[in-house]
Amino acid sequence: MNSSRFEAAVDTKKFFQMGWNLIKSEDAGTRQQVITKLGAETGLAIIKTITDIMDASHKDETTVSIFRDRTLPFYRIISHPDVLSSLILETPVDTIYTFLFGPSGRRGLSVFRFTATALSGMILGHSPSDEEVSTIAMSSSLAVLSRLIEINQSAQVIQGFTAIVETISACIPENFVVPNAQQSLTRIRRRLNIGSSLPLAPTQSTPQSLLSAAFELSQDLPGNLSNNGARHDNDHASVADVQILPTAQEIASSRQEYLPLIDSTQHHLPGLAGLLDRQFRLLREDTVGQLRDAVRDELTRLEHPNRNVPTTYQGQQGVRKLIYHNVRFSRMCVDRRKGLQAWAEFDQPPQIKNKSIKQREDWWKGSKLLQVDSLVCFVSSNGKIIFLSVCDPILPSHGRKDSNSDNKRRSDDIPSLFRQANRASVLLGLAEYQKEDAIWISTHIAPSKIRQSLVEFPGVLLPSFQPTLQALQKMSRTLNLPFAEIVAPDSQTSPAAIQPPAYASRRGFSFNLDVLTGVPLTLSPRKAFDFTKLDGGSLDEAQQFAVIQALSTGLALIQGPPGTGKSYTGVAIVKALLHNRKAAELGPIICVCYTNHALDQLLEHLLKDGVMQVIRLGSRSKSDLLQNLTLRQVAEEAAPTKTEKHDRWEHNRDIGETLREIEDILSGLNNPNSWTNIQAYLMRTHNRHFKELFGKGVDEEGFQEVKGKKFGVVESWLRGAPKKLASNRPVAQLSAISLREMSTSERGGLHKHWIEQWSAKLTNDLLHALDSYHRSKSALDKCHSELDLRCLREAHIIGVTTSGLARNIELLQRVRAKVMLCEEAGEVLEAHTLTAFLPGVEHAILIGDHEQLRPQINNYELQHDNPRGKRYSLDISLFERLVKPPMGNLQVPLSTLKTQRRMHPSISELVRVPLYPDLQDHPSVSKYPEIDGMRDRLYWFDHQEKEDPRTAQAVSLSRTNTFEVDMIAALVSHLVRQGTYGSEDIAVITPYLGQLQKIKKRLANSFEIVVGDRDQEELEAKGLQDPLETSIDGQVQVQKTTLLNALRIATVDNFQGEEAKVIVVSLVRSNDERKCGFLKTSNRINVLLSRARHGMYIIGNSDTSRPVPMWAESAQTTSVQALHYAVLDIKKHPSKSQCRTISLGSPLKVVVLRDARRDYSVGIPVLICAIPYLCTMQFAALNAVQEQRKVASMSVRDLAEIYASQNAKSYYLTSLYHVDTSPGS
C-alpha cells in the first residue's frame, strides 16, 4: 500500500467511527443528516476511498485490521435498522448501495471478497473476548450484502456472489447463534437461488416430475407457459407482472383464467413461490374477477345496443352493479391530494326524472350511490376501459365569507348529482394512474357519438384488496417470508421442525413469568416446564398450557372453542411478552384482529391491565378509551426533524408550482377549440400566420373592433373566405400561404390541424407535469409517513385490523416488529395472514377456531363447501391449513382451550356433542337464571310456512321469510316486556341479509336497532338499505323506542365473537326441496348455536334442516338437551324430551307434550297460535292496564296454557286441533 492511500485509510477510520457514533445516537434528525450527506457526491467519494483499499490480497492481519477499524463502522452505519427502514432516507440509501455495487457488480464483488476473507479471519481465529465483535461483524456484513442483492437484481446472475456467500456460510460455526445473521443469510440464499431456497427448481424428483407432466396436460398454464399462448396482455407467468385491475384485453378475453389448485404438487412453481402465486391469483379472481365479468357484460351491451340488459344487476358471484348511461367527460381539473381528476356527466336515473331538485337530492343521498372512494368503471363501445374512483367535489374553504353570488358561482362550479333535472355529474380520479388513460381523457373532452357508460360496484372499495395483492406481488419478487419453510414446505426438503422464537434462542435467555403468577418464575423455551407453579393464577389449566406453548414456539396455534376465553388468553400472552420486552429487544408487538370490535376489546383489556404505549391504526374504533390513541392523534403531537421540515417545505413548494402549471395546461385542454389555443400555437410555431390573425390586437374575449363593430377574429377568418376560392390543398402546403388566400375548406382543415397540434403539445406537457407532481407527492407522503413510523417504533402495542394492516403494509414492514399476534385467525384469508408475517417477525401467535366461521369470500366457485370449488378452497385460512395439513406436511402443534364460560350447559351441549367432545362447562354457567317470561331456556318453533318467493326484479339474491319476521317481532316484544333485559341483552340473528333488513324494518318503530358495521356496509352494498331510513342529510336515523331498549340484529357471519343473554334465531329457509342454504355447513351452525348465554329460541322448518349432516348426526344422540333433534324425535318419543318444541303445521301433525309439573298435556298448535296473538303490540294496546301487567309478569307458556284451557272446547269444535286438559296418567 503506498503512503497516500494509507493516509486516506487513516482518514476514513476517523470519519466512519465518528459517523457510527452519530448514527447510534437516538436522534432521528442526526441520522437523517449523516445518511443524506453520505449519499451525496462528497460522501460517495469517501466511500470510494475505503472500497479502494478493501483488497483481498492483503495479509490476514492487515485485512482484519482494515475491516475492523474502517469497514465495520461503515457497514454498521448503512445497515442500522432505523436507516434501512426509513422512508425519507430511501433515496440516499439506494444511492449508497448502488454505488457500492458498482458497474456490473465489480465493486461489490471486490468489497465482499475482502469481507469474506476478513470474517473468516475474525471468526475462525477469534478469542472468547472477540466473540461480540465477531457477532456484530457477521450480522452487519450479511445485512449489507442482503440489501445490496435486493436493490441490484443483476446480482442473481453474477456467479461470484454465490462463492462469496458459501465462503461466509462456511465460517459460521454450529454453536454460533446469531438470529439476525441467519435471517439475512436465508434471504440472500433465496435471492441468489442457492440450494433448497431455489424458487424455480430446474430438476425435480421423479414422482414430482410425473405429477407435473400429468398436470400440465390438463391445466392451461399462465402467460407464455400456456400451450396456446398468453390469454391477453395481462396474462403472465409471474404474478409480479400482473396489473391489479383488469385491462381491456383481459375483459374482452373469453378464455378461462389460470387458477392454481389447492394441491401444491400441481403448482407451476414450487414452495413459497407457488404459495404466493396461488394466493395472488385466487384472491384477485375473487375480488377483481367479479368486476371483470360485470364490465364485460356492459361492454357486450354497448356493442349490441338492441339487446335488453337490466340496469341493476346482481351477478352469480354476488357483486351488484349499476349502470349510468350516455356518459361523457366534460372537463378536467387537478387536486393537490388526488392529482388529475375529471368531470363525468350522465343521464339521471329514470326513477328521478321529472322530480324536483329536493326530491333528486334526497334520492341520491338515500341511495348511498356514487359516494366518495366508490369504485367505478368507464366503458366505451369502442372498447376503452378506465377504472376510476369517486372524489369529493367540495371546494376547500378560502377562509373568508363569500357573498351569495360567490357561493352560487362556486356551487355551479362543482359537479352535482342532483342539480340538473336530466343530467348528473360526478368528480372522478384515476383508480390507478396510467399515462394512456390520462391521454385518452384529455383528448375526449367533448360530446361523443360513441355509446359510453359508467359502471358502479356499490360497496367495492379498491383499498380493501389492492394493498394485499400488491404486498403478495412484492413478496413473490423477494421471496422473503418468515416461517416459509413451515407454511410453504418445498417438496425437495424434509418438513422443518417448529423452533422457539429466534430472539429466545440467544444464549442465557429465559422468559420472566412473574407477571402471570405474582411470584418469581422463568421459562426456558428448550427446557421442560413445571405447570404446577402456575397454579393459583387466573388462567385455567388449558389456558396455562396454551400460554407456555405460545411463548415456547416460533409459530404457535391456539384453538378457542366458543366462550373459552381466546381474548383473555391472548391478553395473558401479550402481558408476558411485554414483561420481557427489554430483555428480548422485541420492539412493538403487532396485534391483528379481523373485526374492529374484536380489536377494540383486545386493546381495552390491555389498557385496563395497565399496558402503556398503545397505538391503534384506523379510524373505525367505537371505543372512547382509544380515541386519543389512534396513530393520527399521536402523530399530531410529534415534532418533525429539521430534515423533515425542510423536505416538506421543498416538496410542498414543488407541488404548488406544478399544480399551477397543470391548471394552465388544463385550461387549454378543457376548451380545445378556444381562440386562446390558436393564439398560443401560432405565437410559438408560425409567426406569419400569427401576425395575420392577431397582429392588430384582440380583447380578452378574442374580439377585434373595426369601425365600431366587434367580431371574433378566428370565427371571422373561418367564415370569411371569398366564394371564388375553391382550392383544397393539403395542410402541409398551407404553411407558406397567406391566410387570406385560403378557401373555406382549407381554413377549416388548417384550423383543425392547429387544434390537434396544440392539444398534442398540451397533452405531452400534461404528462410531464403529472410525472413531476407524482414524484413530489410521493416524496411528501414519505415525509409524513416517516413521522408516523417514528411514533409506531416507540409503541409497545400496535393494534390493527387485517384490512388496516394491508392498507398500512408499507409502514408496518418498516417497524421491525418481532412478534405478531393474530386473533380470529380462522376467519382471516390466508393471503391476509401471510401479509401479516412482516419481514423481521420471529414469533407469530395465531388464535382462532377452525370449527367456527371460515373467511368470507365473494365467489362461490372458489369455496371449499362447493363441490366445484373444493379444489381451490380459497376460504380455508392458514390457521385451518396448518391444523389440518395436506398429507406429508408438518402439523403445527395446536393448543386447545377447554373450559367455556359463556353458555348454559344445555346450550353448550349443542356444540359439544358434534364438534368439541372435550369442552367443559365452568361451574358459573350452571347458575344462570331462567328466562323471564319463558318456561324453558331452549325452544325450536317448528313451522311449515314457506320462505318468500324470489322475484325476477329483486334487488338482492338474499332470502326472506315473512312468517318468521312476524314470529320474531312477537317473541321479541314479549321478551322485552318482561322488563328484565337491558340494552343489547337480546340479539336476533339470521343467516340472510335480506331477512335482517326485513326484521330491522319491522322492529324499527319499537326498538333502537343496533346493526354492526359490517352488516350495515353489506346492506348498503347490496342495495337493501331502506331509503325511508335515511334523513335529508343522508345520515341513518336512530329510531328511539318507547321501551328504552336497544335490540341487536345481525347476520350469523358477522356475529362471531359476539354474545347475548338471549338469542332469537330466524333460519329463513323453508321449502319442499329441503335446501337450507347457508346453514348447511357445520361452521355456521356452530356459530349460530353458541352465541347465547342464558337462552335461545330458534324459529325454522325442521324438515328443511334435517338433511344437513350436523343436524342429522345430532339427531342420533341421546342427549335430551339437543334442541335440534328434539324437533325431529319429538313426534316419535314426546315423553322423552325436556326441550320444548313448538310445532306449527298441518293439524294432522299435532304434537302433544306432557308437562310433568302441571300434570296435564297441551296441544302445541293451540299454543303456537296463541303466542303471536298475545304478544303483538296491537293486542297489548287493546288490553286493560291490569291485563297488560298480567301479560308482562307471566310466562308466555303459562299464559298460552290458560287461554288454551279456557278455549279448548271452541278450538276442538271449530278445528282439528285437540287440547287434552285432563290429568295425565
Side-chain angles (χ1 to χ4, degrees), residues 249 765 919 1183:
Q249 278 192 32
D765 291 347
L919 187 64
N1183 275 318

Side-chain angles (χ1 to χ4, degrees), residues 49-96:
T49 303
I50 191 176
T51 58
D52 286 346
I53 64 170
M54 292 170 67
D55 188 342
S57 62
H58 293 305
K59 292 181 180 178
D60 288 350
E61 298 84 359
T62 307
T63 298
V64 171
S65 175
I66 293 172
F67 181 85
R68 187 195 297 260
D69 295 339
R70 300 166 180 80
T71 308
L72 185 53
F74 169 56
Y75 280 179
R76 296 183 79 179
I77 289 171
I78 64 172
S79 66
H80 189 280
D82 286 351
V83 170
L84 289 182
S85 60
S86 171
L87 286 154
I88 203 171
L89 295 178
E90 208 168 34
T91 300
V93 165
D94 284 358
T95 301
I96 292 168

Side-chain angles (χ1 to χ4, degrees), residues 458-493:
V460 178
L461 299 176
L462 192 59
S464 66
F465 58 85
Q466 185 187 46
T468 304
L469 291 170
Q470 289 172 335
L472 290 170
Q473 286 181 312
K474 183 176 180 181
M475 289 158 66
S476 74
R477 283 189 287 265
T478 63
L479 293 177
N480 180 16
L481 182 75
F483 315 110
E485 67 282 359
I486 298 169
V487 301
D490 197 312
S491 59
Q492 296 176 322
T493 58

Side-chain angles (χ1 to χ4, degrees), residues 342-361:
W343 287 36
E345 296 180 357
F346 54 88
D347 291 345
Q348 286 283 12
Q351 54 265 53
I352 56 171
K353 284 191 175 179
N354 304 319
K355 301 284 186 182
S356 69
I357 186 170
K358 183 67 173 61
Q359 288 173 320
R360 292 195 300 271
E361 181 179 7

